[in-house]
Amino acid sequence: KQEVTQIPAALSVPEGENLVLNCSFTDSAIYNLQWFRQDPGKGLTSLLLIQSSQREQTSGRLNASLDKSSGRSTLYIAASQPGDSATYLCAARRFSGGYNKLIFGAGTRLAVHP
Amino acid sequence: DVKVTQSSRYLVKRTGEKVFLECVQDMDHENMFWYRQDPGLGLRLIYFSYDVKMKEKGDIPEGYSVSREKKERFSLILESASTNQTSMYLCASSITPSQWGTGTDTQYFGPGTRLTVL
């Protein structure tokens, strides 16, 4: 059974720091891995999607990497800002039970203080 | 922009009540999903639908049912609400049919409904 784990569960950093959020998954037979952002009381917004054949994706100050063999993905946030404060979730997509689905981690709650 | 709307942001119901959560998407997407989100557990898939009147059970369908009479609308029904169904409920939609293929498109999420069952 696929499990997705995110460490740390919470993180508080001063503005300007570069930081890394970690995501691990138990089954390497995934189609892709996706990172989402969730603001308090709101739905999820997709940040980056890495296909299984890719090693990384970049969008602005965000860079996500994928290492299928070790079952790991990282989200790197450069020069963090207070506006980056949110919960970040990773989700692995795999085919199971006749359909493909996203399996989510529990998230990392990030606070960036001025 | 894709827009997924949910009928209520906050809802308080009593044990045993029948509860309807509504979701509407405006982008003619094939797939629609219902998740619940609980602290420490992440999002878990309850049901999804890849076409009108079609539905598939997700990982935790017990105690729930769904209805999809029109392509843009997907309803989650709690036949007899219980306190352990207190949770945040999130609806999502996506373009590519999920019952086959790799489904590389992203899912678009609504703002969520926080349901409290007393």
Side-chain angles (χ1 to χ4, degrees), chain B residues 62-117:
Chain B
E62 296 77 18
Y64 303 94
S65 63
V66 290
S67 172
R68 195 169 181 197
E69 296 297 319
K70 293 184 178 181
K71 192 175 186 179
E72 68 271 17
R73 187 180 298 270
F74 192 35
S75 303
L76 180 69
I77 304 158
L78 287 65
E79 295 289 343
S80 177
S82 63
T83 55
N84 63 13
Q85 292 179 310
T86 291
S87 187
M88 169 72 94
Y89 290 88
L90 291 162
C91 174
S93 71
S94 70
I95 297 172
T96 307
S98 285
Q99 73 275 27
W100 62 78
T102 60
T104 57
D105 62 311
T106 193
Q107 292 184 13
Y108 296 88
F109 283 81
T113 295
R114 187 166 293 282
L115 172 67
T116 301
V117 182

Coordinates of all heavy atoms in Angstrom, one line a residue, chain B residues 62-117:
Chain B
E62 N -17.3 4.4 3.2 CA -18.3 4.0 4.1 C -19.0 5.2 4.8 O -18.3 6.1 5.3 CB -17.7 3.1 5.2 CG -17.1 1.8 4.7 CD -15.8 2.0 4.0 OE1 -15.1 3.0 4.2 OE2 -15.4 1.0 3.3
G63 N -20.3 5.2 4.8 CA -21.1 6.3 5.4 C -21.4 7.4 4.4 O -22.1 8.4 4.8
Y64 N -20.9 7.3 3.2 CA -21.1 8.3 2.2 C -21.8 7.8 0.9 O -21.6 6.6 0.6 CB -19.8 9.0 1.8 CG -19.0 9.6 3.0 CD1 -18.0 8.8 3.6 CD2 -19.3 10.9 3.4 CE1 -17.3 9.4 4.6 CE2 -18.5 11.4 4.4 CZ -17.5 10.6 5.0 OH -16.8 11.2 6.1
S65 N -22.5 8.6 0.2 CA -22.9 8.3 -1.2 C -22.7 9.6 -2.0 O -22.4 10.6 -1.5 CB -24.3 7.8 -1.2 OG -25.2 8.8 -0.8
V66 N -22.8 9.4 -3.3 CA -22.6 10.6 -4.2 C -23.7 10.6 -5.3 O -24.3 9.5 -5.5 CB -21.2 10.6 -4.8 CG1 -20.1 10.9 -3.8 CG2 -20.9 9.3 -5.6
S67 N -23.8 11.7 -5.9 CA -24.7 11.8 -7.1 C -24.1 12.7 -8.1 O -23.6 13.8 -7.7 CB -26.1 12.4 -6.6 OG -26.9 12.7 -7.6
R68 N -24.2 12.3 -9.3 CA -23.7 13.2 -10.4 C -24.7 13.1 -11.6 O -24.6 12.3 -12.5 CB -22.3 12.8 -10.9 CG -21.7 13.9 -11.8 CD -20.3 13.7 -12.1 NE -19.7 14.8 -12.8 CZ -18.6 14.7 -13.5 NH1 -17.9 13.5 -13.4 NH2 -18.1 15.7 -14.2
E69 N -25.7 14.0 -11.5 CA -26.8 14.0 -12.5 C -26.4 14.9 -13.7 O -26.9 14.7 -14.8 CB -28.1 14.5 -11.8 CG -28.6 13.6 -10.8 CD -29.0 12.2 -11.3 OE1 -29.6 12.2 -12.4 OE2 -28.7 11.2 -10.7
K70 N -25.6 15.9 -13.4 CA -25.1 16.8 -14.5 C -23.6 16.8 -14.4 O -23.0 16.6 -13.4 CB -25.7 18.2 -14.3 CG -27.2 18.3 -14.5 CD -27.6 19.7 -14.4 CE -29.1 19.8 -14.7 NZ -29.6 21.2 -14.6
K71 N -23.0 17.1 -15.6 CA -21.5 17.0 -15.7 C -20.8 18.0 -14.7 O -19.8 17.7 -14.1 CB -21.1 17.3 -17.1 CG -19.6 17.0 -17.4 CD -19.3 17.2 -18.8 CE -17.9 16.8 -19.2 NZ -17.6 16.9 -20.6
E72 N -21.4 19.1 -14.5 CA -20.8 20.2 -13.7 C -21.0 20.1 -12.2 O -20.4 20.8 -11.5 CB -21.2 21.6 -14.2 CG -22.7 21.9 -13.9 CD -23.6 21.5 -15.0 OE1 -23.2 20.6 -15.8 OE2 -24.8 22.0 -15.0
R73 N -21.8 19.2 -11.8 CA -22.2 19.1 -10.4 C -22.0 17.7 -9.8 O -22.4 16.7 -10.4 CB -23.7 19.5 -10.3 CG -24.2 19.7 -8.8 CD -25.7 20.1 -8.8 NE -25.9 21.4 -9.5 CZ -25.9 22.5 -8.9 NH1 -25.6 22.6 -7.6 NH2 -26.1 23.6 -9.5
F74 N -21.4 17.7 -8.6 CA -21.1 16.5 -7.9 C -21.5 16.6 -6.5 O -20.9 17.5 -5.8 CB -19.6 16.1 -8.1 CG -19.2 14.7 -7.7 CD1 -20.1 13.6 -7.9 CD2 -18.0 14.5 -7.2 CE1 -19.7 12.4 -7.6 CE2 -17.6 13.2 -6.9 CZ -18.4 12.1 -7.1
S75 N -22.4 15.8 -6.0 CA -22.9 16.0 -4.6 C -22.4 14.8 -3.7 O -22.4 13.7 -4.2 CB -24.4 16.0 -4.6 OG -24.9 17.0 -5.4
L76 N -22.0 15.2 -2.5 CA -21.7 14.2 -1.5 C -22.8 14.1 -0.5 O -23.2 15.2 0.0 CB -20.3 14.6 -0.8 CG -19.8 13.6 0.3 CD1 -19.4 12.3 -0.4 CD2 -18.7 14.3 1.0
I77 N -23.2 12.9 -0.2 CA -24.4 12.8 0.7 C -23.9 11.9 1.9 O -23.3 10.9 1.8 CB -25.5 12.1 0.0 CG1 -25.9 12.9 -1.3 CG2 -26.7 11.9 0.9 CD1 -26.6 12.1 -2.3
L78 N -24.2 12.5 3.1 CA -24.1 11.7 4.3 C -25.5 11.3 4.8 O -26.3 12.1 5.2 CB -23.4 12.6 5.4 CG -21.9 12.9 5.3 CD1 -21.6 13.8 4.1 CD2 -21.4 13.6 6.6
E79 N -25.8 10.0 4.6 CA -27.1 9.6 4.8 C -27.6 9.8 6.3 O -28.7 10.1 6.5 CB -27.2 8.1 4.5 CG -27.0 7.8 3.0 CD -28.2 8.3 2.1 OE1 -29.3 8.5 2.6 OE2 -28.0 8.4 0.9
S80 N -26.7 9.6 7.2 CA -27.0 9.7 8.6 C -25.7 10.2 9.3 O -24.9 9.4 9.6 CB -27.5 8.4 9.2 OG -27.8 8.6 10.6
A81 N -25.6 11.5 9.4 CA -24.3 12.0 9.9 C -23.9 11.5 11.3 O -24.8 11.4 12.2 CB -24.4 13.6 9.9
S82 N -22.6 11.3 11.4 CA -22.1 10.9 12.7 C -21.0 11.8 13.1 O -20.4 12.5 12.3 CB -21.7 9.4 12.7 OG -20.6 9.3 11.8
T83 N -20.6 11.8 14.4 CA -19.6 12.7 14.9 C -18.2 12.4 14.2 O -17.4 13.4 14.1 CB -19.5 12.7 16.4 OG1 -19.2 11.3 16.8 CG2 -20.7 13.2 17.1
N84 N -18.0 11.2 13.9 CA -16.7 10.9 13.2 C -16.6 11.4 11.8 O -15.6 11.2 11.1 CB -16.3 9.4 13.4 CG -17.3 8.5 12.6 OD1 -18.1 9.0 11.8 ND2 -17.2 7.2 12.9
Q85 N -17.7 12.0 11.3 CA -17.6 12.6 10.0 C -17.4 14.1 10.0 O -17.4 14.8 9.0 CB -18.9 12.3 9.2 CG -19.1 10.8 8.9 CD -20.4 10.5 8.2 OE1 -21.5 10.9 8.6 NE2 -20.3 9.8 7.1
T86 N -17.1 14.6 11.2 CA -16.7 16.0 11.4 C -15.3 16.1 10.7 O -14.4 15.4 11.0 CB -16.5 16.3 12.9 OG1 -17.9 16.4 13.4 CG2 -15.9 17.7 13.0
S87 N -15.2 17.0 9.7 CA -14.0 17.0 8.9 C -14.1 18.2 8.0 O -15.1 18.9 7.8 CB -13.8 15.7 8.1 OG -12.6 15.7 7.5
M88 N -13.0 18.5 7.2 CA -13.0 19.4 6.1 C -13.2 18.5 4.9 O -12.5 17.5 4.6 CB -11.6 20.1 6.0 CG -11.4 20.9 4.7 SD -12.5 22.4 4.7 CE -11.3 23.6 5.3
Y89 N -14.1 18.9 4.0 CA -14.4 18.2 2.8 C -14.0 19.0 1.6 O -14.4 20.2 1.5 CB -15.9 17.8 2.7 CG -16.3 16.8 3.8 CD1 -16.6 17.1 5.1 CD2 -16.2 15.4 3.4 CE1 -16.9 16.1 6.0 CE2 -16.5 14.4 4.4 CZ -16.9 14.8 5.6 OH -17.2 13.8 6.6
L90 N -13.3 18.5 0.7 CA -12.7 19.2 -0.4 C -13.2 18.5 -1.7 O -13.1 17.3 -1.8 CB -11.2 19.2 -0.4 CG -10.6 20.0 0.7 CD1 -9.1 19.7 0.9 CD2 -10.7 21.5 0.3
C91 N -13.7 19.3 -2.6 CA -14.1 18.8 -3.9 C -13.0 19.2 -4.9 O -12.4 20.2 -4.8 CB -15.4 19.4 -4.3 SG -16.0 19.0 -6.0
A92 N -12.8 18.4 -6.0 CA -11.8 18.7 -7.0 C -12.4 18.2 -8.4 O -13.2 17.3 -8.4 CB -10.5 18.0 -6.7
S93 N -11.8 18.8 -9.4 CA -12.1 18.3 -10.8 C -10.9 18.3 -11.6 O -9.9 18.9 -11.3 CB -13.2 19.2 -11.4 OG -12.6 20.5 -11.8
S94 N -10.9 17.4 -12.7 CA -9.8 17.4 -13.6 C -10.3 16.9 -15.0 O -11.4 16.4 -15.1 CB -8.7 16.4 -13.1 OG -9.1 15.1 -13.2
I95 N -9.5 17.2 -16.0 CA -9.9 16.9 -17.3 C -9.9 15.5 -17.7 O -10.8 14.9 -18.2 CB -9.0 17.7 -18.3 CG1 -9.1 19.2 -18.1 CG2 -9.4 17.4 -19.8 CD1 -8.1 20.1 -18.8
T96 N -8.7 14.8 -17.5 CA -8.5 13.5 -18.0 C -9.2 12.4 -17.3 O -9.1 12.4 -16.1 CB -7.0 13.2 -18.0 OG1 -6.3 14.3 -18.6 CG2 -6.7 11.9 -18.7
P97 N -9.9 11.6 -18.0 CA -10.5 10.4 -17.3 C -9.5 9.6 -16.5 O -8.4 9.4 -16.9 CB -11.0 9.6 -18.4 CG -11.2 10.5 -19.6 CD -10.1 11.5 -19.4
S98 N -9.9 9.3 -15.3 CA -8.9 8.6 -14.4 C -9.0 7.1 -14.4 O -8.2 6.5 -13.7 CB -9.2 9.1 -12.9 OG -8.7 10.4 -12.7
Q99 N -10.0 6.6 -15.1 CA -10.1 5.2 -15.0 C -9.1 4.4 -15.9 O -9.0 3.2 -15.9 CB -11.5 4.7 -15.3 CG -11.9 4.8 -16.8 CD -12.5 6.2 -17.2 OE1 -12.1 7.2 -16.6 NE2 -13.3 6.2 -18.2
W100 N -8.4 5.2 -16.7 CA -7.3 4.6 -17.4 C -6.2 5.6 -17.7 O -6.4 6.8 -17.4 CB -7.8 4.1 -18.8 CG -8.3 5.1 -19.7 CD1 -7.7 6.0 -20.5 CD2 -9.7 5.4 -19.9 NE1 -8.6 6.8 -21.2 CE2 -9.8 6.4 -20.9 CE3 -10.9 4.8 -19.5 CZ2 -11.0 6.9 -21.3 CZ3 -12.1 5.3 -19.9 CH2 -12.2 6.3 -20.8
G101 N -5.1 5.2 -18.1 CA -4.0 6.2 -18.5 C -3.3 6.7 -17.2 O -3.6 6.3 -16.1
T102 N -2.4 7.6 -17.5 CA -1.6 8.1 -16.4 C -2.1 9.3 -15.7 O -1.7 9.7 -14.7 CB -0.2 8.4 -16.9 OG1 -0.3 9.4 -17.9 CG2 0.5 7.2 -17.5
G103 N -3.1 9.9 -16.3 CA -3.8 11.1 -15.7 C -2.8 12.1 -15.3 O -2.7 12.4 -14.1
T104 N -2.1 12.7 -16.2 CA -1.1 13.7 -15.9 C -1.6 15.1 -15.6 O -0.8 15.9 -15.3 CB 0.0 13.7 -17.0 OG1 -0.6 14.0 -18.2 CG2 0.7 12.4 -17.2
D105 N -2.8 15.3 -15.8 CA -3.3 16.7 -15.6 C -3.5 16.9 -14.1 O -3.7 15.9 -13.3 CB -4.6 16.9 -16.4 CG -5.7 16.0 -15.9 OD1 -5.5 14.8 -15.8 OD2 -6.8 16.5 -15.6
T106 N -3.6 18.1 -13.7 CA -3.7 18.5 -12.3 C -5.2 18.5 -11.9 O -6.1 18.6 -12.8 CB -3.0 19.8 -12.0 OG1 -2.9 20.0 -10.6 CG2 -3.9 21.0 -12.6
Q107 N -5.4 18.4 -10.6 CA -6.7 18.5 -10.1 C -6.9 19.9 -9.6 O -6.0 20.5 -8.9 CB -7.0 17.5 -9.0 CG -7.0 16.1 -9.5 CD -7.3 15.0 -8.4 OE1 -7.8 15.4 -7.3 NE2 -7.1 13.8 -8.7
Y108 N -8.1 20.5 -9.8 CA -8.4 21.8 -9.3 C -9.4 21.7 -8.1 O -10.4 21.0 -8.2 CB -9.0 22.6 -10.4 CG -8.1 22.9 -11.6 CD1 -8.0 22.0 -12.6 CD2 -7.2 24.0 -11.6 CE1 -7.1 22.2 -13.7 CE2 -6.4 24.2 -12.6 CZ -6.3 23.3 -13.7 OH -5.4 23.5 -14.7
F109 N -9.0 22.3 -7.0 CA -9.8 22.1 -5.8 C -10.7 23.3 -5.5 O -10.3 24.5 -5.8 CB -8.8 22.0 -4.6 CG -8.2 20.6 -4.6 CD1 -7.1 20.3 -5.4 CD2 -8.7 19.6 -3.8 CE1 -6.5 19.0 -5.3 CE2 -8.1 18.3 -3.7 CZ -7.1 18.0 -4.5
G110 N -11.8 23.0 -4.9 CA -12.6 24.0 -4.3 C -12.1 24.5 -2.9 O -11.1 23.9 -2.4
P111 N -12.8 25.5 -2.3 CA -12.3 26.0 -1.1 C -12.5 25.2 0.2 O -11.9 25.4 1.2 CB -13.0 27.4 -0.9 CG -14.3 27.1 -1.7 CD -13.9 26.2 -2.8
G112 N -13.3 24.2 0.0 CA -13.6 23.3 1.1 C -14.8 23.6 1.9 O -15.2 24.8 2.0
T113 N -15.4 22.6 2.6 CA -16.5 22.8 3.5 C -16.1 22.2 4.8 O -15.8 21.0 4.9 CB -17.8 22.1 3.0 OG1 -18.3 22.7 1.8 CG2 -18.9 22.2 4.1
R114 N -16.1 23.0 5.9 CA -15.8 22.5 7.2 C -17.1 22.1 7.8 O -17.9 22.9 8.2 CB -15.0 23.5 8.0 CG -14.6 22.9 9.3 CD -13.6 23.8 10.1 NE -12.3 23.9 9.3 CZ -11.3 23.0 9.4 NH1 -11.5 21.9 10.0 NH2 -10.2 23.2 8.7
L115 N -17.3 20.8 8.0 CA -18.5 20.2 8.5 C -18.2 19.8 10.0 O -17.3 19.1 10.3 CB -18.9 19.0 7.7 CG -20.1 18.2 8.3 CD1 -21.4 19.0 8.3 CD2 -20.3 16.9 7.5
T116 N -19.1 20.2 10.9 CA -19.1 19.8 12.3 C -20.4 19.1 12.5 O -21.5 19.6 12.3 CB -19.0 21.0 13.2 OG1 -17.8 21.7 12.9 CG2 -19.0 20.5 14.7
V117 N -20.3 17.9 13.0 CA -21.5 17.1 13.4 C -21.5 17.0 14.9 O -20.6 16.4 15.6 CB -21.4 15.7 12.8 CG1 -22.7 14.9 13.1 CG2 -21.3 15.8 11.3

